[in-house]
Amino acid sequence: GLRIPIARSILELLPDGSALKVVVRANIKGTDDPFDVVDFPVKTYDIGSGWTSIWDLDDLDPTQVTPIKMGETLPFPLMDITFTTAAVDPVNNTVGVEEFGHELPDYYSGVVLYIGSPEGGAKDNTVTITFKRNWSRVRFAMTSLDNDVTVDWLNATSGVIDSETVVGGDTAEGHDVEHDSGTVNIRGVRIRATDVIRLDYFKFLA
């Protein structure tokens, strides 16, 4: 039979709910004559997310969400967001939601969560996002990274499951931050950023 492998990284670029059509045409006689080409039946596959829950924040109205200062918490149905610490904490250094435009990838556009404000100046903000339940796999989008960002994945007792560094430098670049624990023990994530960053599109797998 004919086997043409497709890398998983390519398939993951397909939007949820889209259709993947597989079209096969073969010249079984090995000639250059187009009349010898045989068209096989087209197979269509629906691309499902596989995720238990997805939150893109676009159900939020930024005018109805009051930004928080250090020591305060923003409660949401799937998670609580706590502004834990800031090495430098000017009056306008806050965590909240805002409308944000981003060209590519387009799912960074719309309502996003911002950590720190205003732009410019190192603040060393730390935010802890506590999920309302445990998950086995979590992914979220991150952009506006002037500098590297430290991410700690946490269990129910705030112990660190794993840590990673998201490399910054290009504020227009989008990053998918993900942890697959293999067991249902992800209860939160702690993020440390020296300057303003933005988060969007949380995905959860039970």
Side-chain angles (χ1 to χ4, degrees), residues 54-62 97-100 106-113 199-202:
I54 298 176
W55 186 38
D56 64 4
L57 281 75
D58 284 339
D59 60 326
L60 298 177
D61 180 353
V97 297
E98 64 179 357
E99 289 281 352
F100 181 67
D106 59 4
Y107 59 75
Y108 288 88
S109 296
V111 179
V112 300
L113 171 72
L199 310 181
D200 196 5
Y201 217 80
F202 287 82

Side-chain angles (χ1 to χ4, degrees), residues 149-196:
V149 173
T150 302
V151 176
D152 296 327
W153 296 96
L154 309 175
N155 60 24
T157 61
S158 297
V160 177
I161 301 170
D162 195 14
S163 297
E164 61 183 290
T165 299
V166 184
V167 178
D170 182 355
T171 57
E173 183 178 358
H175 305 265
D176 284 329
V177 185
E178 178 178 341
H179 183 68
D180 188 345
S181 184
T183 183
V184 187
N185 68 341
I186 305 174
R187 192 54 177 265
V189 60
R190 183 168 56 228
I191 301 169
R192 179 181 175 185
T194 59
D195 202 352
V196 178

